[in-house]
């Protein structure tokens, strides 16, 4: 499960980098208004909820994918959790 988390973070970093390259025209790239399109599928459930709530703008598209790895940080800990130790009392 940990590798999925790191893969998602890598894809998110690449999508943010492509947004910056397309927005600011780095490396001689022509400025492109669709450079943030790769962020949309990474934050899909939250993009839909934000759109339904009336939130629009670049901040929603940039920050919504960050919710997915943040919500899964505790998922891996449940697999490694130790069962509770029950100590039997010998006193009567």
């Amino acid at each position: 499960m940990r590798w999925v988390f790191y893969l998602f973070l890598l894809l998110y970093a690449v999508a943010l980098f492509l947004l910056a390259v397309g927005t600011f025209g780095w490396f001689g790239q022509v400025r492109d208004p669709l450079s943030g399109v790769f962020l949309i599928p990474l934050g899909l459930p939250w993009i839909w909820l934000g759109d339904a709530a009336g939130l629009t703008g670049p901040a929603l598209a940039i920050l919504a994918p960050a919710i997915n790895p943040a919500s899964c940080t505790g998922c891996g800990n449940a697999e490694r959790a130790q069962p509770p130790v029950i100590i039997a009392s010998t006193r009567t």
Side-chain angles (χ1 to χ4, degrees):
M1 189 69 176
R2 185 179 298 177
W3 64 271
V4 174
F5 175 75
Y6 289 123
L7 178 67
F8 187 87
L9 284 181
L10 176 70
L11 290 173
Y12 183 45
V14 169
L16 284 175
F17 178 73
L18 290 175
L19 172 70
V21 168
T23 301
F24 301 116
W26 294 347
F27 308 113
Q29 180 72 24
V30 178
R31 292 184 178 203
D32 185 16
L34 292 176
S35 60
V37 73
F38 299 111
L39 289 169
I40 302 300
L42 292 174
L44 257 184
W46 312 111
I47 297 283
W48 286 336
L49 290 173
D51 187 39
L55 301 172
T56 58
L60 177 65
I62 292 170
L63 297 176
I67 298 171
N68 289 329
S71 65
C72 289
T73 54
C75 297
N77 294 336
E79 296 174 359
R80 291 186 296 260
Q82 299 294 325
V85 176
I86 299 173
I87 300 173
S89 176
T90 58
R91 294 185 184 185
T92 57

